[in-house]
Amino acid sequence: PQPVWNETPAELLLRKKRSMEILRARQLPVNEELPVIWPGSARTVEAVCRRAVALLVVALYSECRLDEEDPLDHEQARAYVQPILETYQAEDFFSPKEWAYLENPASSRMEQIQFAWQYENVWVMEWALGLTDELPWPDRICDVPRAAGIMREHYGMEQLMQAARLRPQSELLDAADLIDRLHWYCNQARLQGTAPQSLDAGVVMERHRGLFWVAGCDGAVEWDDVNLST
């Protein structure tokens, strides 16, 4: 069964207050008008494990296509990730956009770069599953070799699900609330033609996607439909 959200409005407001205190401590702009996060039900362990596998495949496939020294074509890159699909029996783990991308031999470099960013969300899923204790401040890209390595340590759905311990939803929501406020600041900086202070805007955006999905902040919408507006 899915974990059920049962927090009171006062607890939601307290979460918002804690997030704003973190921003103020780092001397970052705070928008007190941003609403609280209203969650639905968190994802199941199995759903998060499936999502981690799908994200790993699309990111690794993209890395193969983008390799500067020896880029692989579509067929070669698909062959490279095929053992992962078979080991996890992952053919139905992908969102419609992910599967269309993997099936397209003529994807653009921009698409490949966008999907390579999904290593960030591999890391988010690993954190949510308790496979890593680290969800560092989003001022730099994640440790890609480590993100891939964690998945290799639990190679197969049975092993992955046995190792996983989904974090309490309150912890997932804490992270989602904070990233929503950081994303608002990144968007404001972009509109003003400046770079956000002590943040990587790309990392923030992807972490927004992953945390909102895993915490069910958009009413448990599908991956492709997560609302990234702030």
Side-chain angles (χ1 to χ4, degrees):
Q2 289 191 342
V4 177
W5 162 69
N6 59 1
E7 290 186 324
T8 66
E11 289 171 311
L12 300 181
L13 288 169
L14 183 59
R15 173 174 292 114
K16 173 180 175 178
K17 180 181 178 182
R18 289 197 303 265
S19 293
M20 292 192 300
E21 286 173 352
I22 291 171
L23 267 66
R24 290 191 177 102
R26 289 179 174 266
Q27 299 183 320
L28 297 176
V30 171
N31 180 357
E32 297 194 17
E33 300 304 314
L34 286 180
V36 298
I37 298 295
W38 289 93
S41 296
R43 309 289 170 168
T44 63
V45 169
E46 182 179 4
V48 182
C49 288
R50 288 164 63 103
R51 182 94 303 266
V53 173
L55 292 162
L56 176 67
V57 170
V58 297
L60 184 56
Y61 168 86
S62 302
E63 188 179 6
C64 291
R65 298 299 307 273
L66 291 165
D67 190 294
E68 293 183 0
E69 296 183 1
D70 186 23
L72 303 186
D73 64 22
H74 169 70
E75 187 174 341
Q76 292 169 324
R78 279 301 305 267
Y80 190 87
V81 300
Q82 187 62 29
I84 303 175
L85 271 74
E86 293 174 357
T87 297
Y88 289 94
Q89 298 181 312
E91 285 76 7
D92 63 344
F93 290 7
F94 301 92
S95 74
K97 288 182 180 178
E98 288 169 339
W99 190 249
Y101 167 65
L102 290 172
E103 290 287 279
N104 180 13
S107 59
S108 68
R109 181 174 175 81
M110 180 60 69
E111 289 176 302
Q112 293 161 11
I113 291 171
Q114 289 172 342
F115 279 101
W117 270 98
Q118 295 317 304
Y119 278 119
E120 295 299 330
N121 282 316
V122 173
W123 191 270
V124 169
M125 299 305 143
E126 291 169 343
W127 175 79
L129 291 167
L131 302 176
T132 178
D133 291 331
E134 298 179 57
L135 192 65
W137 187 253
D139 60 350
R140 66 196 70 186
I141 64 172
C142 71
D143 184 340
V144 169
R146 181 61 183 145
I150 289 171
M151 297 298 289
R152 283 195 300 270
E153 291 168 9
H154 311 291
Y155 200 48
M157 277 298 286
E158 183 177 352
Q159 295 91 325
L160 186 59
M161 289 185 63
Q162 285 179 350
R165 297 291 183 273
L166 193 64
R167 293 179 184 276
Q169 194 179 17
S170 60
E171 192 173 348
L172 301 177
L173 290 167
D174 286 348
D177 188 276
L178 177 60
I179 205 68
D180 185 46
R181 299 175 197 286
L182 293 176
H183 198 186
W184 171 84
Y185 164 51
C186 288
N187 285 340
Q188 290 301 114
R190 176 178 53 81
L191 291 172
Q192 296 167 7
T194 61
Q197 176 187 336
S198 72
L199 293 168
D200 184 308
V203 173
V204 170
M205 182 181 73
E206 289 304 333
R207 198 176 288 184
H208 183 167
R209 189 192 315 275
L211 289 170
F212 266 51
W213 180 86
V214 78
C217 295
D218 286 324
V221 299
E222 298 300 326
W223 180 257
D224 289 342
D225 300 323
V226 174
N227 183 359
L228 296 180
S229 65
T230 59

